[in-house]
C-alpha cells in the first residue's frame, strides 16, 4: 500500500478521517516508519499550536462582570409609545420649521427661540403645578438652576452675535455662584398675578413664579422671578434674576440685574451693579442709571441711561444715547452714538463696514474711536441669487469640513464608534425612540438635577453634553451610512472615506426641500439614540479599547 | 447559588478563553472584547437551556465560534466566507517544511502566535476553530458552509503557511540569538 498523502495524514492526526480511512492509515503507519514519524510530528505540532493559542490568553484582562443591558423589547415599546405620543407635536413643529429658509438645523433640531420658550414654559408649569411633585427643600434652588439653563439658552439665542458667549456665560455663572447664600428664602407662586404691594417688605430672598409678577414693595435679599411678565416698581436690594417674555424695571436694584426675555426695558430705575441683558429688544431710559457694566446680547438695544463702567453690546442694532463711564465695545450690525452722548473711554465697533458705526456730531468720545471690519460679515447684505447660492454652498462646505474634522477626531478618540451599527427596523426604531427620549428628557433631567445644589454643576455638564451629543449624533450616523454604502457596493472601508461619503449623504438629505427637516429630525434622534446605546453599553462594563 | 452568581463564576473562569477565541477569529482585540461580551450575554440569556452535564467551555466556545463567524459573514457580505475557489489541488506536492519545523518548542510560542495572526483569514479561521475551539471537522464544515474535506485542505494549508513562515523567521532568530549571546559574553569578558 502506498503512503497516505499529506492531507490524509493531517486529517488522521486531527482524528477527522472516516473510520475506514483512519483504519487504513493506522495499519500503514504500523508498517511504515517514515509515516509514523510524520504522524507523530503532526500530533506534536497540534500541541504546539494549542500552546501558542493559550499563551496569548495570559495577556487578556477580564473586565468586570456586568449583565444588565437595555431590554430591547421593552425599550422598543417605550420608544414607540413616546414616539406616537409626541409625533403629532413634532410633525406640527416641523411644518413650522419648514418655512425657515436657512438650513440652520444642522446643529439643533429645535430653533433656539423655541428652546427658550420651552424652558420658560417648563419653569412656569413646574412652579405653578408641580408643587406636589417636588419636596419643598429642593424647590429652594430652582431659580438658580433655571438661570443656569437659561443662560445657556440665551447664549444660543444670541449665537449670531455672541462670539464671546463662553466668556459671558462664565461671567453670568460667576455672578450667580459668587452671590452669598441668603439666610432665608421665600417662594411664592401664582397662576395669575403675583403682587408684592408697595407697603410690604420681604426680609429675605424672594423666588417668584407667576404669569405676571409685580413688585411694588421692597425685597431686602435677591429677587428671582420667572413668569410671563415681570414688573419691578419697588426696591430689590440684592440681585435681580429674572426671565419672562416682558421685563420692566422701573424701581431700584441694589446689585446686579440678570434679565432674559423678549423685551427688557429699564425705565426710571437705579441699578447698583451690572446689567446683563439677553433679549430681542432691550431699552434703558435716560431717567435710569446703571452703576456697573452693561453686557447685552440683544437684537435691538437702545441705551438711554448712563452706564457707570463699560458697555458691551452684542447686538443687531445698538443705539447709545446715555453716557458711558468707560469704553463701549460693540459687536453689531449698526452702532449709533447719538448726540450729546459722552463716552469716557474708547469706542470699539466690530461691524461690517465703516458706515455701520455712526457717531453723531455733538457726541463726545474721550478716548479713541476704532472700527474693526468683520470680514465674516462683510457682503452679507442684499445678496443676489448667485451670492445666496454661493453663500449656501460655502456654509455647507464649512459645515461639512467642521463635521468631518470633528468626526475624524471622534473616531480617532473612540475607535469602537467605527463599528457602531443598526441592524433592521427594530434596532433603528429603538435608537430613534431612545434618541427622542434623550432629546426631551435630558434638559428636563438636567433641570430636575439642578434643584439640588450639588446637582447644579452636574446639570450644567449634562446640558452641555446634550448639546454636544446633538451635534455628534448625525456625524456618527453619517459614518455608519457611509460604511454601509461602501460595503454594499463592495468597497468596504471605514474611517475617513466612510465618513466623507456618509456626511455628503446626510448633508444632501437634510437640505432636501420639504422633507429635509423631517429627515434631519429623524437622523438626529436616531444618531442620538445610537450614542445613548453605545454609552450605555460602555457604562455596562465595556471599556474603550481599540 | 443564584443563577447570576453561578454565571459570574463561569464568566470569570472562561472569559479569557472566549475572548481569545474571538480575537483569533476576528483578528482584532477591540472587536474581540465587544464580541466576548455579546457571547456571554447570549449565553446568559440561554443559560436555562445549558445542560450542566456537558462542559461549559465547549458550550460557550461554540456560541462564540458561531457568533464570530456570523460577524465575519456580515463583514464580508457574502453568503459564504469560503467559496469553492478555495479548494486547491490536493495532490500538488507540498514544498513546506516538515511538521518537525514547529517543534523547536515552547520558546518559539511567541513567534507561532505572530505567524498565526499573519495567516490569511480563510486559513486562520478553520485552524482556530479546530485547534482552539477544538471543534470537530463536521462542526467546522457546517459552520463555514463547506465540505469536511475542504476543511481538511484549509487546515493543512494553514499549517504549511505557518511552517514556511516559521522556517524563515527561525533562520533569522537563531542567527540573531547567536550574535546576541556572543555580544553578551564579550561584554562580560567571558571567552566566546
Amino acid at each position: 500500500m502506498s503512503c497516505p498523502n499529506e492531507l490524509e495524514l493531517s486529517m488522521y492526526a486531527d482524528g477527522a478521517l472516516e473510520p475506514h480511512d483512519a483504519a487504513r492509515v493506522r495499519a500503514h503507519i504500523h508498517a511504515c516508519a517514515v509515516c509514523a514519524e510524520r504522524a507523530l510530528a503532526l500530533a506534536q505540532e497540534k500541541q504546539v499550536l494549542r500552546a501558542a493559542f493559550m499563551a496569548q490568553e495570559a495577556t487578556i484582562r477580564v473586565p468586570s462582570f456586568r449583565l444588565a443591558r437595555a431590554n430591547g423589547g421593552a425599550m422598543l415599546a417605550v420608544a414607540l409609545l413616546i414616539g406616537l405620543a409626541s409625533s403629532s407635536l413634532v410633525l406640527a413643529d416641523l411644518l413650522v420649521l419648514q418655512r425657515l429658509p436657512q438650513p440652520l438645523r444642522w446643529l439643533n433640531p429645535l430653533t433656539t427661540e423655541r428652546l427658550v420658550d420651552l424652558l420658560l414654559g417648563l419653569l412656569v408649569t413646574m412652579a405653578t403645578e408641580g408643587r406636589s411633585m417636588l419636596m419643598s427643600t429642593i424647590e429652594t434652588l430652582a431659580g438658580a438652576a433655571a438661570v443656569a439653563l437659561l443662560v445657556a439658552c440665551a447664549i444660543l439665542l444670541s449665537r449670531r452675535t455672541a462670539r464671546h458667549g463662553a466668556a459671558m456665560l462664565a461671567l453670568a455663572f460667576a455672578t450667580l455662584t459668587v452671590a452669598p447664600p441668603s439666610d432665608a428664602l421665600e417662594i411664592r407662586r401664582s397662576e395669575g398675578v403675583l403682587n408684592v404691594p408697595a407697603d410690604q417688605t420681604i426680609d429675605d430672598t424672594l423666588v417668584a413664579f407667576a404669569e405676571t409678577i409685580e413688585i411694588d414693595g421692597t425685597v431686602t435679599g435677591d429677587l428671582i422671578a420667572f413668569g410671563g411678565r415681570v414688573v419691578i416698581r419697588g426696591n430689590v436690594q440684592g440681585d435681580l434674576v429674572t426671565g419672562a417674555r416682558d421685563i420692566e424695571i422701573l424701581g431700584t436694584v441694589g446689585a446686579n440685574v440678570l434679565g432674559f426675555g423678549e423685551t427688557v426695558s429699564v425705565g426710571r430705575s437705579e441699578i447698583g451693579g451690572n446689567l446683563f441683558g439677553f433679549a430681542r429688544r432691550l431699552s434703558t431710559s435716560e431717567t435710569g442709571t446703571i452703576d456697573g457694566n452693561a453686557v447685552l446680547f440683544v437684537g435691538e438695544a437702545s441705551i438711554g441711561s448712563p452706564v457707570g463702567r463699560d458697555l458691551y453690546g452684542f447686538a443687531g442694532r445698538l443705539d447709545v444715547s446715555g453716557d458711558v463711564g468707560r469704553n463701549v465695545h460693540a459687536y453689531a450690525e449698526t452702532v449709533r452714538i447719538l448726540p450729546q452722548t459722552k463716552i469716557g473711554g474708547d469706542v470699539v465697533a466690530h461691524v461690517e463696514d465703516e458706515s455701520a458705526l455712526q457717531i453723531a456730531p455733538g457726541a463726545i468720545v474721550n478716548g479713541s474711536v476704532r472700527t474693526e471690519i468683520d470680514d465674516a460679515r462683510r457682503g452679507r447684505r442684499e445678496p443676489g441669487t448667485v451670492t445666496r447660492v454661493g453663500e449656501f454652498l460655502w456654509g455647507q462646505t464649512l459645515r461639512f469640513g467642521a463635521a468631518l474634522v470633528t468626526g475624524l477626531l471622534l473616531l480617532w478618540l473612540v475607535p469602537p464608534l467605527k463599528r457602531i451599527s443598526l441592524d433592521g427596523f427594530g434596532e433603528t426604531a429603538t435608537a430613534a425612540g431612545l434618541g427622542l427620549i434623550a432629546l426631551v428628557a435630558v434638559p428636563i433631567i438636567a433641570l430636575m438635577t439642578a434643584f439640588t445644589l450639588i446637582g447644579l454643576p452636574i446639570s450644567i455638564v449634562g446640558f452641555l453634553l446634550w448639546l454636544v451629543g446633538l451635534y455628534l449624533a448625525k456625524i456618527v450616523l453619517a459614518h455608519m451610512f457611509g460604511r454601509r454604502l461602501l460595503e454594499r457596493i463592495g468597497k468596504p472601508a471605514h474611517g475617513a472615506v466612510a465618513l466623507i461619503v456618509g456626511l455628503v449623504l446626510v448633508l444632501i438629505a437634510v437640505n432636501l426641500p420639504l422633507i429635509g427637516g423631517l429627515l434631519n429630525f429623524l437622523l438626529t434622534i436616531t444618531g442620538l439614540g445610537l450614542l445613548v446605546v453605545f454609552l450605555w453599553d460602555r457604562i455596562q462594563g465595556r471599556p474603550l479599547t481599540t | 447559588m443564584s443563577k447570576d452568581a453561578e454565571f459570574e463564576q463561569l464568566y470569570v473562569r472562561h472569559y479569557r478563553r472566549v475572548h481569545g477565541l474571538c480575537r483569533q477569529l476576528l483578528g482584532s482585540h477591540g472587536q474581540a472584547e465587544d464580541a466576548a461580551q455579546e457571547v456571554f450575554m447570549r449565553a446568559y440569556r440561554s443559560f436555562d437551556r445549558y445542560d450542566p452535564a456537558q462542559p461549559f467551555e465547549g458550550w460557550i466556545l461554540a456560541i462564540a465560534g458561531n457568533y464570530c463567524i456570523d460577524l465575519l459573514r456580515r463583514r464580508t457580505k457574502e453568503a459564504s466566507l469560503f467559496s469553492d475557489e478555495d479548494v486547491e489541488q490536493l495532490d500538488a506536492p507540498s514544498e513546506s517544511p516538515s511538521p518537525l519545523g514547529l517543534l523547536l518548542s515552547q520558546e518559539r510560542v511567541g513567534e507561532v502566535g505572530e505567524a498565526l495572526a499573519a495567516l490569511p483569514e480563510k486559513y486562520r479561521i478553520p485552524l482556530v476553530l479546530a485547534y482552539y475551539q477544538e471543534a470537530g471537522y463536521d462542526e467546522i464544515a457546517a459552520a463555514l458552509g463547506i465540505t469536511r474535506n475542504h476543511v481538511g485542505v484549509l487546515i493543512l494549508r494553514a499549517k504549511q503557511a505557518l511552517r514556511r513562515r516559521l522556517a524563515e523567521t527561525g533562520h533569522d532568530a537563531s542567527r540573531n540569538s547567536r550574535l546576541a549571546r556572543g555580544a553578551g559574553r564579550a561584554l562580560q569578558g567571558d571567552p566566546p
Side-chain angles (χ1 to χ4, degrees):
Chain A
M1 172 190 164
S2 62
C3 290
N5 65 25
E6 199 178 352
L7 177 64
E8 276 181 306
L9 269 181
S10 171
M11 288 177 75
Y12 175 76
D14 290 345
L17 281 182
E18 297 291 346
H20 63 276
D21 289 330
R24 179 172 50 80
V25 172
R26 196 178 307 116
H28 175 82
I29 283 173
H30 280 304
C32 174
V34 176
C35 286
E37 196 185 330
R38 289 178 71 86
L40 180 66
L42 282 165
Q44 288 170 326
E45 183 179 59
K46 189 171 169 176
Q47 295 309 316
V48 173
L49 285 171
R50 266 199 192 140
F53 284 127
M54 308 286 181
Q56 296 187 9
E57 286 176 16
T59 58
I60 295 171
R61 196 180 55 80
V62 183
S64 56
F65 177 70
R66 310 243 180 187
L67 277 171
R69 196 187 186 197
N71 180 325
M75 282 289 181
L76 184 62
V78 171
L80 282 177
L81 199 66
I82 292 180
L84 281 174
S86 51
S87 58
S88 55
L89 189 71
V90 168
L91 282 173
D93 283 353
L94 285 168
L95 288 175
V96 176
L97 280 175
Q98 252 347 103
R99 301 221 187 104
L100 294 174
Q102 313 102 306
L104 280 174
R105 283 147 257 152
W106 178 254
L107 269 171
N108 195 335
L110 300 168
T111 60
T112 47
E113 295 96 302
R114 286 188 50 75
L115 205 58
V116 174
D117 283 353
L118 187 75
L119 277 165
L120 280 173
L122 191 70
L123 278 166
V124 173
T125 307
M126 282 181 72
T128 53
E129 293 170 18
R131 178 161 215 150
S132 60
M133 293 190 297
L134 300 168
M135 293 182 300
S136 58
T137 47
I138 59 172
E139 285 175 339
T140 53
L141 288 152
V147 167
L149 287 172
L150 282 169
V151 168
C153 293
I155 293 293
L156 276 176
L157 184 67
S158 52
R159 198 174 53 205
R160 268 185 66 205
T161 47
R163 59 183 63 193
H164 291 186
M168 287 304 134
L169 186 66
L171 198 63
F173 283 143
T175 57
L176 282 173
T177 49
V178 166
S182 52
D183 296 330
L185 192 110
E186 185 173 335
I187 299 173
R188 292 190 188 184
R189 72 192 87 210
S190 163
E191 288 182 33
V193 179
L194 191 157
N195 182 263
V196 174
D199 54 0
Q200 190 177 15
T201 298
I202 294 175
D203 265 334
D204 49 34
T205 288
L206 173 65
V207 179
F209 297 96
E211 178 51 34
T212 302
I213 299 169
E214 294 173 351
I215 308 291
D216 291 307
T218 301
V219 178
T220 59
D222 300 331
L223 171 62
I224 298 167
F226 288 96
R229 181 162 176 265
V230 174
V231 185
I232 315 291
R233 284 184 287 258
N235 181 4
V236 177
Q237 293 177 1
D239 291 323
L240 168 63
V241 176
T242 179
R245 275 192 307 280
D246 301 306
I247 300 168
E248 271 181 75
I249 303 170
L250 304 163
T252 310
V253 178
N256 302 306
V257 173
L258 200 53
F260 312 86
E262 286 275 317
T263 60
V264 174
S265 87
V266 180
R268 187 184 176 81
S269 167
E270 281 175 35
I271 296 175
N274 305 307
L275 167 66
F276 298 98
F278 301 82
R280 293 254 177 106
R281 281 185 302 283
L282 182 143
S283 62
T284 67
S285 146
E286 59 192 17
T287 52
T289 56
I290 299 164
D291 290 349
N293 303 298
V295 181
L296 316 169
F297 293 84
V298 288
E300 292 172 21
S302 165
I303 306 299
S305 61
V307 175
R309 296 183 176 182
D310 293 321
L311 168 64
Y312 295 90
F314 301 85
R317 186 165 62 78
L318 176 65
D319 290 347
V320 184
S321 55
D323 297 348
V324 177
R326 297 201 302 216
N327 304 318
V328 174
H329 300 272
Y331 294 82
E333 281 170 20
T334 59
V335 183
R336 290 192 302 170
I337 310 287
L338 300 175
Q340 312 301 325
T341 309
K342 292 193 190 103
I343 311 290
D346 303 335
V347 174
V348 183
H350 299 258
V351 287
E352 288 174 16
D353 54 56
E354 297 282 353
S355 65
L357 171 64
Q358 298 166 21
I359 298 187
I364 300 165
V365 180
N366 285 342
S368 60
V369 176
R370 289 204 306 280
T371 311
E372 302 199 349
I373 305 297
D374 183 347
D375 284 340
R377 291 155 148 240
R378 195 198 295 271
R380 206 157 61 184
R381 217 176 279 169
E382 296 171 20
T385 309
V386 175
T387 321
R388 276 214 306 274
V389 170
E391 244 177 49
F392 172 79
L393 290 177
W394 173 238
Q396 296 301 322
T397 310
L398 277 182
R399 190 162 293 149
F400 176 83
L404 181 63
V405 171
T406 311
L408 287 176
L409 196 67
L410 184 71
L411 293 174
W412 178 66
L413 288 172
V414 192
L417 279 176
K418 288 182 193 166
R419 300 192 301 276
I420 216 162
S421 67
L422 285 173
D423 291 312
F425 174 76
E427 279 189 22
T428 314
T430 309
L434 278 174
L436 190 64
I437 294 169
L439 183 73
V440 177
V442 171
I444 295 175
I445 292 170
L447 188 70
M448 303 287 274
T449 315
F451 275 68
T452 64
L453 189 60
I454 301 168
L456 188 60
I458 299 174
S459 98
I460 294 165
V461 170
F463 192 74
L464 292 176
L465 282 177
W466 179 75
L467 290 175
V468 171
L470 282 180
Y471 184 64
L472 296 183
K474 268 174 292 185
I475 296 178
V476 170
L477 204 62
H479 177 263
M480 193 193 83
F481 285 150
R483 203 185 65 208
R484 282 290 165 87
L485 183 75
L486 291 172
E487 277 173 3
R488 279 278 162 84
I489 59 171
K491 294 181 178 165
H494 52 74
V497 180
L499 187 61
I500 290 169
V501 171
L503 282 176
V504 169
L505 286 178
V506 168
L507 211 54
I508 292 171
V510 301
N511 283 302
L512 285 176
L514 297 175
I515 58 163
L518 182 64
L519 286 177
N520 185 45
F521 181 78
L522 291 175
L523 289 173
T524 305
I525 59 169
T526 310
L528 201 60
L530 258 181
L531 284 175
V532 169
V533 171
F534 177 79
L535 286 173
W536 178 255
D537 282 352
R538 292 283 152 189
I539 291 166
Q540 294 303 306
R542 300 179 179 193
L544 301 179
T545 46
T546 51
Chain B
M1 196 190 298
S2 72
K3 176 189 168 187
D4 284 8
E6 189 188 351
F7 192 82
E8 181 166 2
Q9 281 194 355
L10 291 166
Y11 169 89
V12 171
R13 200 178 309 148
H14 297 283
Y15 179 84
R16 286 197 175 86
R17 180 62 44 91
V18 170
H19 182 126
L21 178 64
C22 296
R23 181 156 77 180
Q24 295 296 341
L25 288 173
L26 301 173
S28 138
H29 177 71
Q31 289 181 39
E33 193 165 288
D34 286 352
Q37 290 290 344
E38 181 59 35
V39 166
F40 276 101
M41 204 60 70
R42 288 178 180 208
Y44 180 80
R45 279 193 222 117
S46 47
F47 196 47
D48 297 332
R49 295 198 294 275
Y50 162 63
D51 173 11
Q54 303 296 318
F56 181 78
E57 182 171 290
W59 183 67
I60 196 152
L61 287 183
I63 297 176
N66 289 330
Y67 176 68
C68 290
I69 289 165
D70 277 351
L71 277 186
L72 291 165
R73 276 225 175 83
R74 247 188 273 173
R75 201 200 277 171
T76 52
K77 289 278 171 201
E78 286 168 18
S80 167
L81 273 174
F82 300 86
S83 64
D84 290 338
E85 292 162 23
D86 294 328
V87 183
E88 293 152 59
Q89 286 292 317
L90 304 188
D91 298 330
S94 165
E95 291 172 12
S96 69
S98 78
L100 286 170
L102 266 183
L103 291 180
L104 294 173
S105 84
Q106 299 297 330
E107 72 183 41
R108 297 196 62 189
V109 158
E111 284 174 49
V112 178
E114 285 170 25
L116 281 168
L119 278 180
E121 210 165 65
K122 68 174 179 179
Y123 293 156
R124 193 181 71 234
I125 289 166
L127 188 77
V128 168
L129 292 175
Y131 291 178
Y132 197 17
Q133 188 193 324
E134 304 191 19
Y137 275 38
D138 286 329
E139 220 178 309
I140 300 172
L144 301 181
I146 57 179
T147 65
R148 176 192 172 85
N149 215 42
H150 193 172
V151 174
V153 173
L154 293 173
I155 289 176
L156 175 62
R157 294 288 181 240
K159 291 193 285 190
Q160 288 174 337
L162 281 176
R163 289 171 206 156
R164 268 195 295 275
R165 188 180 165 97
L166 287 168
E168 286 162 17
T169 55
H171 292 310
D172 298 343
S174 58
R175 196 175 60 229
N176 288 344
S177 67
R178 274 201 305 278
L179 285 171
R181 275 200 298 275
R185 284 197 207 94
L187 282 172
Q188 290 165 11
D190 290 344

